Coordinates of all heavy atoms in Angstrom, one line a residue:
M208 N 0.9 -1.2 0.0 CA 0.0 0.0 0.0 C 0.9 1.2 0.0 O 1.9 1.3 0.7 CB -0.9 0.0 1.2 CG -2.1 0.8 1.1 SD -3.2 0.7 2.6 CE -3.7 -1.1 2.4
S209 N 0.5 2.2 -0.8 CA 1.4 3.4 -0.9 C 0.8 4.5 -0.1 O -0.4 4.6 0.1 CB 1.6 3.8 -2.4 OG 0.3 4.0 -3.0
P210 N 1.7 5.4 0.3 CA 1.2 6.6 1.1 C 0.3 7.5 0.3 O 0.4 7.6 -0.9 CB 2.5 7.3 1.4 CG 3.6 6.4 1.1 CD 3.1 5.5 0.1
E211 N -0.7 8.1 0.9 CA -1.5 9.0 0.3 C -1.3 10.4 0.9 O -1.0 10.5 2.1 CB -3.0 8.6 0.4 CG -3.5 8.5 1.8 CD -4.9 8.0 1.9 OE1 -5.5 7.6 0.9 OE2 -5.5 8.1 3.0
P212 N -1.5 11.5 0.1 CA -1.3 12.8 0.7 C -2.5 13.1 1.6 O -3.6 12.8 1.4 CB -1.3 13.7 -0.6 CG -1.9 12.9 -1.7 CD -1.8 11.5 -1.3
A213 N -2.1 13.7 2.7 CA -3.1 14.1 3.7 C -2.5 15.2 4.6 O -1.3 15.3 4.8 CB -3.5 12.9 4.6
N214 N -3.4 16.1 5.0 CA -2.9 17.2 5.9 C -2.7 16.6 7.3 O -3.5 15.8 7.8 CB -3.9 18.3 6.0 CG -3.8 19.2 4.8 OD1 -2.8 19.1 4.0 ND2 -4.8 20.0 4.5
C215 N -1.6 17.0 8.0 CA -1.3 16.5 9.3 C -2.4 16.9 10.3 O -2.8 18.1 10.3 CB 0.0 17.1 9.8 SG 0.4 16.7 11.5
P216 N -3.0 16.0 11.0 CA -4.1 16.3 11.9 C -3.6 17.1 13.1 O -4.4 17.7 13.8 CB -4.7 15.0 12.4 CG -3.5 14.0 12.2 CD -2.7 14.5 11.0
V217 N -2.3 17.2 13.3 CA -1.8 17.9 14.5 C -1.5 19.3 14.1 O -1.8 20.3 14.8 CB -0.5 17.2 15.0 CG1 0.1 17.9 16.2 CG2 -0.9 15.8 15.5
C218 N -0.8 19.5 13.0 CA -0.3 20.9 12.7 C -0.9 21.4 11.4 O -0.7 22.6 11.1 CB 1.2 21.0 12.7 SG 2.0 20.2 11.3
G219 N -1.5 20.5 10.6 CA -2.1 21.0 9.4 C -1.2 21.1 8.2 O -1.7 21.4 7.1
A220 N 0.0 20.7 8.3 CA 1.0 20.8 7.2 C 0.7 19.7 6.2 O 0.0 18.7 6.5 CB 2.4 20.6 7.7
A221 N 1.1 19.8 5.0 CA 0.9 18.8 4.0 C 1.8 17.6 4.3 O 3.0 17.8 4.5 CB 1.3 19.3 2.6
A222 N 1.2 16.5 4.5 CA 1.9 15.3 5.0 C 1.5 14.1 4.2 O 0.7 14.2 3.2 CB 1.6 15.1 6.5
E223 N 1.9 12.9 4.6 CA 1.5 11.6 3.9 C 1.0 10.7 5.0 O 1.4 10.8 6.2 CB 2.7 11.0 3.2 CG 3.1 11.7 2.0 CD 4.2 10.8 1.3 OE1 4.9 10.0 1.9 OE2 4.3 11.0 0.0
R224 N 0.1 9.8 4.6 CA -0.4 8.8 5.6 C -0.5 7.5 5.0 O -0.7 7.4 3.8 CB -1.7 9.3 6.2 CG -2.9 9.2 5.3 CD -4.1 9.6 6.0 NE -5.3 9.4 5.2 CZ -6.5 9.7 5.5 NH1 -6.8 10.2 6.7 NH2 -7.6 9.5 4.7
L225 N -0.3 6.5 5.8 CA -0.5 5.1 5.4 C -1.5 4.5 6.4 O -1.5 4.8 7.6 CB 0.8 4.3 5.6 CG 1.9 4.3 4.5 CD1 3.1 3.7 5.1 CD2 1.4 3.5 3.3
R226 N -2.3 3.5 5.9 CA -3.2 2.8 6.8 C -2.3 2.0 7.8 O -1.3 1.4 7.4 CB -4.1 1.9 6.1 CG -5.3 2.5 5.5 CD -6.5 1.6 5.5 NE -7.7 2.3 5.2 CZ -8.5 2.9 6.1 NH1 -8.1 2.9 7.3 NH2 -9.5 3.6 5.7
A227 N -2.7 2.0 9.0 CA -1.9 1.3 10.0 C -2.8 0.3 10.8 O -4.0 0.6 11.0 CB -1.2 2.2 11.0
A228 N -2.2 -0.8 11.1 CA -3.0 -1.8 11.9 C -3.1 -1.4 13.4 O -2.1 -0.8 13.9 CB -2.4 -3.2 11.8
P229 N -4.1 -1.7 14.1 CA -5.3 -2.4 13.6 C -6.3 -1.4 13.0 O -7.0 -1.7 12.0 CB -5.9 -3.0 14.8 CG -5.5 -2.1 15.9 CD -4.2 -1.6 15.5
R230 N -6.4 -0.2 13.5 CA -7.3 0.8 12.9 C -6.6 2.1 13.0 O -6.0 2.4 14.1 CB -8.6 0.9 13.7 CG -9.5 -0.3 13.3 CD -10.8 -0.1 14.1 NE -10.6 -0.2 15.6 CZ -10.5 -1.4 16.2 NH1 -10.7 -2.5 15.6 NH2 -10.3 -1.4 17.5
G231 N -6.6 2.9 12.0 CA -6.0 4.2 12.0 C -5.0 4.4 11.0 O -5.0 3.7 10.0
Y232 N -4.1 5.4 11.2 CA -3.2 5.8 10.2 C -1.8 6.0 10.8 O -1.7 6.4 12.0 CB -3.6 7.0 9.4 CG -4.8 6.8 8.6 CD1 -6.1 7.1 9.1 CD2 -4.7 6.3 7.3 CE1 -7.2 6.9 8.3 CE2 -5.8 6.1 6.5 CZ -7.1 6.4 7.0 OH -8.2 6.2 6.2
R233 N -0.8 5.9 10.0 CA 0.5 6.4 10.3 C 0.8 7.6 9.5 O 0.9 7.5 8.2 CB 1.5 5.2 10.1 CG 3.0 5.7 10.4 CD 4.0 4.6 10.1 NE 3.7 3.4 10.9 CZ 4.7 2.6 11.3 NH1 5.9 2.8 10.9 NH2 4.4 1.6 12.0
Y234 N 1.0 8.7 10.1 CA 1.3 9.9 9.4 C 2.8 10.2 9.4 O 3.5 9.9 10.3 CB 0.6 11.1 10.1 CG -0.8 11.3 9.7 CD1 -1.8 10.5 10.2 CD2 -1.2 12.3 8.7 CE1 -3.1 10.7 9.9 CE2 -2.5 12.4 8.3 CZ -3.5 11.7 8.9 OH -4.8 11.8 8.6
T235 N 3.3 10.7 8.3 CA 4.6 11.3 8.2 C 4.5 12.7 7.9 O 4.1 13.1 6.7 CB 5.5 10.5 7.2 OG1 5.5 9.1 7.6 CG2 6.9 11.0 7.2
C236 N 4.8 13.6 8.8 CA 4.7 15.0 8.7 C 6.0 15.7 8.7 O 6.9 15.3 9.5 CB 3.8 15.5 9.9 SG 3.8 17.3 9.9
P237 N 6.3 16.6 7.8 CA 7.6 17.3 7.7 C 7.9 18.0 9.0 O 9.0 18.3 9.4 CB 7.5 18.2 6.5 CG 6.0 18.4 6.3 CD 5.4 17.1 6.8
S238 N 6.8 18.4 9.8 CA 7.0 19.2 11.0 C 7.0 18.3 12.2 O 7.9 18.4 13.1 CB 5.9 20.3 11.1 OG 6.0 20.9 12.3
C239 N 6.0 17.4 12.3 CA 5.8 16.6 13.5 C 6.6 15.3 13.5 O 6.8 14.7 14.5 CB 4.4 16.3 13.7 SG 3.3 17.7 13.8
G240 N 7.0 14.8 12.3 CA 7.6 13.5 12.2 C 6.6 12.5 12.0 O 5.5 12.7 11.5
T241 N 6.9 11.2 12.3 CA 6.0 10.1 12.1 C 5.3 9.7 13.4 O 5.9 9.7 14.5 CB 6.9 8.9 11.6 OG1 7.6 9.2 10.4 CG2 6.0 7.7 11.3
F242 N 4.0 9.5 13.3 CA 3.2 9.1 14.4 C 2.0 8.3 14.0 O 1.7 8.4 12.8 CB 2.8 10.3 15.3 CG 2.0 11.3 14.5 CD1 0.6 11.2 14.5 CD2 2.5 12.3 13.8 CE1 -0.2 12.1 13.8 CE2 1.8 13.2 13.1 CZ 0.4 13.1 13.1
Q243 N 1.4 7.6 14.9 CA 0.2 6.9 14.5 C -1.0 7.5 15.2 O -0.9 8.0 16.3 CB 0.3 5.4 14.9 CG 1.2 4.7 14.0 CD 1.1 3.1 14.2 OE1 1.9 2.4 13.6 NE2 0.2 2.7 15.0
I244 N -2.1 7.4 14.6 CA -3.4 8.0 15.2 C -4.5 7.1 14.9 O -4.6 6.5 13.8 CB -3.6 9.4 14.7 CG1 -4.8 10.0 15.4 CG2 -3.7 9.5 13.2 CD1 -4.9 11.5 15.2
S245 N -5.3 6.8 15.9 CA -6.5 5.9 15.6 C -7.6 6.7 14.9 O -7.6 7.9 14.9 CB -7.1 5.4 17.0 OG -7.7 6.4 17.6
S246 N -8.4 5.9 14.2 CA -9.5 6.5 13.4 C -10.4 7.4 14.3 O -10.9 8.5 13.9 CB -10.4 5.5 12.7 OG -9.6 4.7 11.9
R247 N -10.6 6.9 15.5 CA -11.5 7.6 16.4 C -10.9 8.9 16.9 O -11.5 10.0 17.0 CB -11.9 6.8 17.6 CG -12.8 5.6 17.2 CD -13.2 4.8 18.5 NE -13.9 5.6 19.4 CZ -13.9 5.4 20.7 NH1 -13.1 4.5 21.2 NH2 -14.6 6.2 21.5
A248 N -9.6 8.9 17.2 CA -8.9 10.1 17.6 C -8.9 11.1 16.4 O -9.0 12.3 16.6 CB -7.5 9.8 18.0
L249 N -8.7 10.6 15.2 CA -8.7 11.4 14.0 C -10.0 12.1 13.8 O -10.1 13.3 13.4 CB -8.4 10.5 12.8 CG -7.9 11.2 11.5 CD1 -6.6 12.0 11.8 CD2 -7.5 10.2 10.5
S250 N -11.1 11.4 14.0 CA -12.4 11.9 13.8 C -12.8 12.9 14.9 O -13.8 13.7 14.7 CB -13.5 10.8 13.7 OG -13.6 10.2 15.0
C251 N -12.1 13.0 15.9 CA -12.4 14.0 17.0 C -11.8 15.3 16.7 O -11.9 16.3 17.5 CB -12.1 13.4 18.4 SG -10.8 14.1 19.2
R252 N -11.0 15.4 15.6 CA -10.5 16.7 15.2 C -11.6 17.7 15.1 O -12.6 17.5 14.6 CB -9.9 16.4 13.8 CG -9.0 17.5 13.3 CD -8.0 16.8 12.2 NE -8.7 16.0 11.3 CZ -8.7 16.2 10.0 NH1 -8.2 17.3 9.5 NH2 -9.3 15.4 9.2
P253 N -11.4 19.0 15.5 CA -10.1 19.5 16.0 C -10.0 19.4 17.5 O -9.5 20.3 18.1 CB -10.2 21.0 15.6 CG -11.7 21.3 15.7 CD -12.4 20.0 15.5
G254 N -10.3 18.3 18.0 CA -10.3 18.1 19.5 C -8.9 17.6 20.0 O -8.8 17.3 21.1
L255 N -7.9 17.6 19.1 CA -6.6 17.2 19.6 C -6.0 18.3 20.6 O -6.2 19.5 20.3 CB -5.6 17.1 18.4 CG -5.9 16.0 17.4 CD1 -4.9 15.9 16.3 CD2 -6.0 14.6 18.1
P256 N -5.5 17.9 21.7 CA -5.0 18.8 22.6 C -3.9 19.7 22.1 O -3.1 19.3 21.2 CB -4.4 18.0 23.8 CG -4.2 16.6 23.2 CD -5.2 16.5 22.0
A257 N -3.8 20.9 22.6 CA -2.8 21.8 22.1 C -1.4 21.3 22.4 O -0.4 21.7 21.7 CB -3.0 23.2 22.7
S258 N -1.3 20.5 23.4 CA 0.0 19.9 23.7 C 0.5 18.8 22.8 O 1.6 18.3 23.0 CB 0.0 19.4 25.2 OG -1.0 18.4 25.3
A259 N -0.4 18.3 21.9 CA -0.1 17.1 21.1 C 1.2 17.3 20.4 O 2.0 16.3 20.4 CB -1.2 16.9 20.1
R260 N 1.4 18.4 19.8 CA 2.7 18.6 19.0 C 3.9 18.4 19.8 O 4.9 17.7 19.4 CB 2.6 20.0 18.4 CG 3.0 20.0 17.0 CD 2.8 21.4 16.5 NE 3.8 21.8 15.5 CZ 3.8 22.9 14.7 NH1 2.8 23.7 14.9 NH2 4.7 23.1 13.9
E261 N 3.9 19.0 21.0 CA 5.0 18.9 21.9 C 5.2 17.5 22.4 O 6.3 17.0 22.5 CB 4.9 19.9 23.1 CG 6.1 20.1 23.8 CD 7.3 20.5 22.9 OE1 7.1 21.3 22.0 OE2 8.4 19.9 23.1
D262 N 4.1 16.8 22.7 CA 4.2 15.4 23.2 C 4.7 14.5 22.2 O 5.6 13.6 22.5 CB 2.8 14.9 23.6 CG 2.2 15.6 24.9 OD1 3.1 16.2 25.7 OD2 1.0 15.6 25.2
I263 N 4.3 14.7 20.9 CA 4.8 13.9 19.8 C 6.3 14.1 19.7 O 7.1 13.2 19.6 CB 4.1 14.2 18.5 CG1 2.7 13.6 18.6 CG2 4.8 13.6 17.3 CD1 1.8 14.1 17.5
R264 N 6.7 15.3 19.7 CA 8.1 15.7 19.6 C 9.0 15.0 20.7 O 10.0 14.5 20.5 CB 8.3 17.2 19.6 CG 9.7 17.7 19.2 CD 9.8 19.2 19.4 NE 8.6 19.9 19.0 CZ 8.5 20.5 17.8 NH1 9.5 20.3 16.9 NH2 7.5 21.1 17.5
R265 N 8.4 15.1 21.9 CA 9.2 14.5 23.1 C 9.3 13.0 23.0 O 10.4 12.5 23.2 CB 8.4 14.9 24.4 CG 9.1 14.5 25.6 CD 8.5 15.2 26.8 NE 7.1 15.3 26.8 CZ 6.2 14.3 27.1 NH1 6.7 13.2 27.6 NH2 5.0 14.4 27.0
L266 N 8.2 12.3 22.6 CA 8.2 10.9 22.5 C 9.2 10.5 21.4 O 9.9 9.5 21.5 CB 6.8 10.3 22.2 CG 5.9 10.3 23.4 CD1 4.5 10.0 23.0 CD2 6.4 9.3 24.5
R267 N 9.2 11.2 20.3 CA 10.1 10.9 19.2 C 11.5 11.1 19.6 O 12.4 10.3 19.1 CB 9.7 11.7 17.9 CG 8.4 11.2 17.3 CD 8.1 12.0 16.0 NE 9.3 12.2 15.2 CZ 9.8 11.3 14.4 NH1 9.2 10.1 14.3 NH2 10.8 11.6 13.6
A268 N 11.8 12.1 20.4 CA 13.1 12.3 20.9 C 13.7 11.1 21.7 O 14.9 10.9 21.7 CB 13.2 13.6 21.7
Y269 N 12.7 10.4 22.3 CA 13.1 9.2 23.0 C 13.1 7.9 22.2 O 13.2 6.8 22.7 CB 12.3 9.0 24.3 CG 12.7 10.0 25.4 CD1 12.0 11.2 25.6 CD2 13.8 9.7 26.2 CE1 12.4 12.1 26.5 CE2 14.1 10.6 27.2 CZ 13.4 11.8 27.3 OH 13.8 12.7 28.3
G270 N 12.8 8.1 20.9 CA 12.9 6.9 20.0 C 11.5 6.2 19.9 O 11.5 5.1 19.4
H271 N 10.5 6.7 20.4 CA 9.2 6.1 20.3 C 8.4 6.5 19.0 O 8.7 7.5 18.4 CB 8.3 6.4 21.5 CG 8.8 6.0 22.8 ND1 8.9 4.7 23.1 CD2 9.3 6.7 23.9 CE1 9.4 4.6 24.4 NE2 9.7 5.8 24.8
L272 N 7.5 5.6 18.7 CA 6.5 6.0 17.6 C 5.2 6.4 18.3 O 4.5 5.6 18.8 CB 6.2 4.8 16.7 CG 5.2 5.0 15.6 CD1 5.6 6.1 14.7 CD2 4.9 3.7 14.9
P273 N 5.0 7.7 18.5 CA 3.8 8.1 19.3 C 2.5 7.6 18.7 O 2.3 7.5 17.5 CB 3.9 9.7 19.1 CG 5.3 10.0 18.8 CD 5.8 8.8 17.9
L274 N 1.6 7.3 19.6 CA 0.3 6.8 19.2 C -0.8 7.6 19.9 O -0.8 7.8 21.1 CB 0.1 5.3 19.7 CG -1.2 4.7 19.5 CD1 -1.6 4.6 18.0 CD2 -1.3 3.3 20.1
L275 N -1.6 8.3 19.0 CA -2.7 9.1 19.5 C -4.0 8.3 19.5 O -4.4 7.8 18.5 CB -2.9 10.3 18.7 CG -1.8 11.5 18.9 CD1 -0.5 11.1 18.3 CD2 -2.3 12.7 18.2
E276 N -4.6 8.1 20.7 CA -5.9 7.4 20.8 C -6.9 8.2 21.5 O -6.6 9.0 22.4 CB -5.6 6.1 21.5 CG -4.8 5.1 20.8 CD -4.6 3.8 21.7 OE1 -4.0 4.0 22.8 OE2 -5.0 2.8 21.3
L277 N -8.2 7.9 21.2 CA -9.2 8.5 21.9 C -9.6 7.6 23.1 O -9.9 6.5 23.0 CB -10.4 8.7 21.0 CG -11.6 9.5 21.6 CD1 -11.1 11.0 21.8 CD2 -12.7 9.5 20.6
T278 N -9.6 8.2 24.3 CA -10.0 7.5 25.5 C -11.1 8.3 26.1 O -11.6 9.3 25.6 CB -8.8 7.5 26.6 OG1 -8.6 8.8 27.0 CG2 -7.5 7.0 25.9
R279 N -11.6 7.7 27.3 CA -12.7 8.4 28.0 C -12.4 9.8 28.4 O -13.2 10.7 28.5 CB -13.1 7.6 29.2 CG -14.5 7.6 29.5 CD -14.8 6.6 30.6 NE -13.7 5.8 31.1 CZ -13.7 5.1 32.2 NH1 -14.7 5.2 33.0 NH2 -12.7 4.4 32.6
D280 N -11.1 10.1 28.6 CA -10.7 11.4 29.0 C -10.2 12.3 27.9 O -9.6 13.3 28.1 CB -9.5 11.2 30.0 CG -9.9 10.4 31.2 OD1 -11.0 10.6 31.7 OD2 -9.1 9.6 31.7
G281 N -10.5 11.9 26.7 CA -10.0 12.7 25.5 C -8.9 12.0 24.8 O -8.7 10.8 25.0
V282 N -8.2 12.7 24.0 CA -7.1 12.1 23.2 C -5.9 11.9 24.1 O -5.4 12.9 24.7 CB -6.8 13.0 22.0 CG1 -5.6 12.4 21.2 CG2 -8.0 13.0 21.0
S283 N -5.4 10.7 24.1 CA -4.2 10.4 24.9 C -3.0 10.1 23.9 O -3.3 9.6 22.8 CB -4.4 9.3 25.9 OG -4.2 8.1 25.2
I284 N -1.9 10.5 24.3 CA -0.7 10.2 23.5 C 0.3 9.4 24.2 O 0.7 9.7 25.3 CB 0.0 11.6 23.1 CG1 -1.0 12.5 22.4 CG2 1.2 11.3 22.2 CD1 -0.6 13.9 22.2
S285 N 0.5 8.2 23.7 CA 1.3 7.2 24.4 C 2.5 6.8 23.5 O 2.5 7.1 22.3 CB 0.5 6.0 24.7 OG 0.0 5.4 23.6
P286 N 3.5 6.1 24.1 CA 4.7 5.8 23.3 C 4.4 4.8 22.2 O 5.1 4.8 21.2 CB 5.6 5.1 24.4 CG 5.1 5.7 25.7 CD 3.7 5.9 25.5
G287 N 3.4 4.0 22.3 CA 3.1 3.0 21.2 C 4.2 2.1 21.0 O 5.0 1.8 21.9
R288 N 4.3 1.5 19.8 CA 5.3 0.5 19.5 C 6.5 1.1 18.8 O 6.3 2.1 18.0 CB 4.7 -0.6 18.7 CG 3.7 -1.5 19.4 CD 3.3 -2.7 18.5 NE 2.7 -2.2 17.3 CZ 1.4 -1.9 17.1 NH1 0.6 -2.0 18.2 NH2 0.9 -1.5 16.0
P289 N 7.7 0.7 19.1 CA 8.8 1.3 18.5 C 8.8 1.0 16.9 O 8.2 0.1 16.5 CB 10.0 0.6 19.1 CG 9.5 -0.7 19.7 CD 8.1 -0.4 20.0
Ligands
LIG507 ZN1 2.4 17.9 11.7

């Protein structure tokens, strides 16, 4: 499967995304880098927390692939799988 153009849900820049298992997408953004986001978290746009960008940057600095998911408390950002 090849990447498709899509705007980054975090910063709005022109980015690419791939479908990622089990549900959701893996975005590659020139500004935010690579991260995964679930379909549900994506559909809650523009409900992403203002801190999302910084959280993604911090997790990536530690070598993680950040995962944005929708939980009962809103969108959470976890380290995900490397
Ligand atoms: Zn971005």
